[in-house]
Amino acid sequence: MASTPSASVSKRLVLVTVTAALGFFLFGYDTAVINGAIDALADHYGLGSGLKEHR
């Protein structure tokens, strides 16, 4: 069974869409984790308010 060009494009489009969505999800998750860690790192290392102002 040969796939039609339309089916091939649809599979590729789904793959690209899922990959992009996963990438954006992971970027947002990483950003939230880093943002949540700033206060803990500042307290742990005794950093001043200069770190907190760059958020």
Side-chain angles (χ1 to χ4, degrees):
M1 292 183 121
S3 63
T4 63
S6 173
S8 177
V9 170
S10 294
K11 288 180 184 178
R12 182 173 170 88
L13 182 61
V14 168
L15 178 66
V16 169
T17 303
V18 168
T19 303
L22 181 62
F24 285 122
F25 171 75
L26 291 175
F27 176 77
Y29 179 77
D30 184 46
T31 302
V33 168
I34 291 170
N35 190 30
I38 287 178
D39 290 332
L41 289 172
D43 292 342
H44 180 74
Y45 291 107
L47 301 175
S49 62
L51 176 66
K52 294 180 181 181
E53 291 175 4
H54 285 91
R55 282 198 251 176

